[in-house]
Amino acid sequence: MKKHIYILLALALLSGSCNDDEFLDRDPTQIIPSDKAYNSPELTLSILADLYNRYHDFGTVENWQSLSRFNVAFWSDNGSYGAFQNNGWGYGDWGTWDYGYIRDLNIFIEEVTASEGLEEALKTRFIAEARFLRASYYFTLVKRMGGVPLILEPLEYDYSGDPTYLQHSRETEAAVYDFVIQEAEEIRDVLPNDVNSKSRASMGAALAMQCRAALYAGSIAKYGATTPQVALPGGEVGIPADRADGYYTTALQAARKIINGEAGAYDLYQKKPDLADNFAGIFYDKASNPEAIFVEDYKLQTGKRHGFTISNQPRFGAEEEEGGRINPALNLVQSFETLNGEFEPLPNKDASGNYIAYDGIKDIFENRDARLEGTVIVPGSSFKGQEVDIFAGIQLPDGTVVSGDSRGQSKDIDGTSVQVVGFDGPIDGMEHVAQSGFYVRKYQDPKDGSGQRGVQSDVWFIRYRFGEVLLNAAEAAFELGQPDVAAEYMNRLRERAGITVPLAPGDITFDRIAHERFVELAFEGLYFFDLKRWRIAHTVMDGTEISETEIMENIGSATKRQTQPYGLWPYKIHDPGNADHQKYIYKIIRPSRVTASDRFRFGNYYSEIGQDILNNNPKIVKNPNH
């Protein structure tokens, strides 16, 4: 009987509800309609926060590989060895085509513009921020894809069966760069002139974007002439050479507004007495940091945190006993100059070819540009107060080496148990130890808990910083025939790094410009675009193996071959009674997992446009060499 009552009740409810139009017309409870969302400052800000969170960039601390590509490092990770065992990259690599994001930005701009519930000052700022994000993504698109359709309003399908009115052609590469530069010009004075606004767009961020975009466009215009095969007749790829000076001028003017303080008190970070610690501090010190201009920020105990330190901390004594994935390559490490400003390979042998014995394991790195140890953890240096334990084996008097295949292994030598390999390696082929002899320091979080999976890190990722602005200004000035200005800006960075001999205007060359960016901006996700815009990627990564001799040569050359990562391993001398007993020698190695050499093809300069995109829009032309 009870069962029958339930059925009758259910039928009655269904019957009643089916006749109730109000029931069917109720607003969904989990969706906020536009007229409410965009009339509320709080809700509008939350929508904008989501758009910020979808900012798309090449490098990020959420993907450690993205900051260490192109043989500036070896990846000590079993799942990543394949990157060193093939000869290059697919044409589709690094591509992006997220017009869903652009549509959401266009809708935001349209809705905020139409809002009657937001104060005008707030509307103006919200719209300017959305335009900044939209220009940022078009900048990302043009760097990777070349010219793309510029869609600046939401497009709606009319269900007529004819979508052709939605199909837009690609703009020229120059037109997209012009759009990014012009947008920055128009919004910069609307955005806050506030150096403490780091994770939201500011005047400084707009100027920094304008500066970088104009510099990239200028270099493509100038150096694109060296690779005529990387171009399209319609200008979708390639920028006319006669536009180079105009772009360089724009870049220099935008940089000067930041350097001269028109966008606020941005400056070089100089808070720590130890110059290497000071350089490392740029990337984790979030308190009154004058160098960071625009960042992606993170916060502990929220969903917005990352595991960069977990992935890359020195393995020995680490909070989770893991890390060590990014192993900076000798190629990069020895590029840091001496304090006298000289290019010199790390001296591991004397003029007769004999290994040099060093008293201390760090001695070989003495008197180097402080940015080296601010960027790289070398043997003998410390992280979180603990010295890394990196040495590859025991060197015996007869020339043989005793080593091990497990971390910190000990063996019997002359009747005594002796540790024969470091707890941080290097052990060839063992993942998560220093297989190149080095760990990365930049972006490592020194706080307790940052190496724990349950805590992680809130270190920010800097998208624009004052140091890069100085380098952008220096490059633009050099290209405009102002080497004295270029030297002045570069010397500010070099002086901070402890280099005692300043550059003279006559020292400024293209190679000098490229070198300074290589060491200052390592592991910041910018190296790739430098190689592309200067049209030297196919030369730097030409598919040819590098010999041990070559790795020591041509330091400071912009076109020095970088097809394979090398390493430098310390060995402890065991020769009781000899003056060199317990001293260290260094040997150059190439990790055995590096079995191929990278070749950057002309078709890699611009990513392949997907066939689905070409099928849906016949007006889109393919990129060259695909």
Side-chain angles (χ1 to χ4, degrees), residues 184-193 203 206-207 257 262:
E185 182 76 20
E186 292 180 9
I187 64 176
R188 71 185 190 200
D189 292 328
V190 177
L191 292 166
N193 183 343
M203 175 189 285
L207 283 166
K257 290 181 184 298
E262 294 178 42

Side-chain angles (χ1 to χ4, degrees), residues 442-503:
K442 188 176 282 189
Y443 281 117
Q444 294 265 26
D445 186 346
K447 293 193 298 295
D448 290 342
S450 62
Q452 294 179 11
R453 291 187 179 279
V455 180
Q456 302 188 37
S457 173
D458 64 351
V459 161
W460 59 20
F461 180 67
I462 300 178
R463 300 197 187 284
Y464 293 104
R465 66 178 173 99
F466 189 80
E468 186 215 343
V469 171
L470 286 175
L471 288 175
N472 292 348
E475 181 178 343
F478 165 73
E479 297 289 1
L480 292 169
Q482 303 172 35
D484 53 329
V485 176
E488 175 191 342
Y489 292 145
M490 291 170 68
N491 282 332
R492 289 182 64 177
L493 290 162
R494 294 166 65 83
E495 182 179 356
R496 178 175 68 170
I499 296 176
T500 57
V501 180
L503 295 171

Side-chain angles (χ1 to χ4, degrees), residues 400-476:
T400 60
V401 169
V402 180
S403 188
D405 55 9
S406 63
R407 300 165 51 222
Q409 187 175 356
S410 294
K411 290 184 178 178
D412 183 272
I413 297 178
D414 297 335
T416 302
S417 179
V418 176
Q419 182 184 342
V420 298
V421 65
F423 280 93
D424 285 301
I427 298 171
D428 190 42
M430 176 178 280
E431 66 173 349
H432 305 166
V433 298
Q435 291 192 60
S436 72
F438 308 104
Y439 290 126
V440 69
R441 185 176 186 189
K442 188 176 282 189
Y443 281 117
Q444 294 265 26
D445 186 346
K447 293 193 298 295
D448 290 342
S450 62
Q452 294 179 11
R453 291 187 179 279
V455 180
Q456 302 188 37
S457 173
D458 64 351
V459 161
W460 59 20
F461 180 67
I462 300 178
R463 300 197 187 284
Y464 293 104
R465 66 178 173 99
F466 189 80
E468 186 215 343
V469 171
L470 286 175
L471 288 175
N472 292 348
E475 181 178 343

Side-chain angles (χ1 to χ4, degrees), residues 163-213:
T164 54
Y165 71 99
L166 298 173
Q167 295 167 342
H168 293 257
S169 302
R170 297 176 65 183
E171 298 286 344
T172 65
E173 187 171 15
V176 179
Y177 273 109
D178 291 344
F179 170 75
V180 174
I181 293 166
Q182 185 60 35
E183 283 289 277
E185 182 76 20
E186 292 180 9
I187 64 176
R188 71 185 190 200
D189 292 328
V190 177
L191 292 166
N193 183 343
D194 180 5
V195 296
N196 296 314
S197 179
K198 306 287 191 187
S199 58
R200 293 179 66 177
S202 63
M203 175 189 285
L207 283 166
M209 177 177 70
Q210 184 182 39
C211 171
R212 189 192 288 175

Side-chain angles (χ1 to χ4, degrees), residues 267-272 274-276 278-279 282-283 289 291 369-371 465-468 470 490-499 520:
D267 204 345
L268 292 180
Y269 178 93
Q270 299 189 88
K271 295 171 64 176
K272 299 177 185 294
D274 181 282
L275 298 183
N278 184 71
F279 189 71
I282 297 169
F283 304 96
N289 186 328
E291 182 143 355
D369 180 335
R371 289 173 292 190
R465 66 178 173 99
F466 189 80
E468 186 215 343
L470 286 175
M490 291 170 68
N491 282 332
R492 289 182 64 177
L493 290 162
R494 294 166 65 83
E495 182 179 356
R496 178 175 68 170
I499 296 176
E520 173 76 25

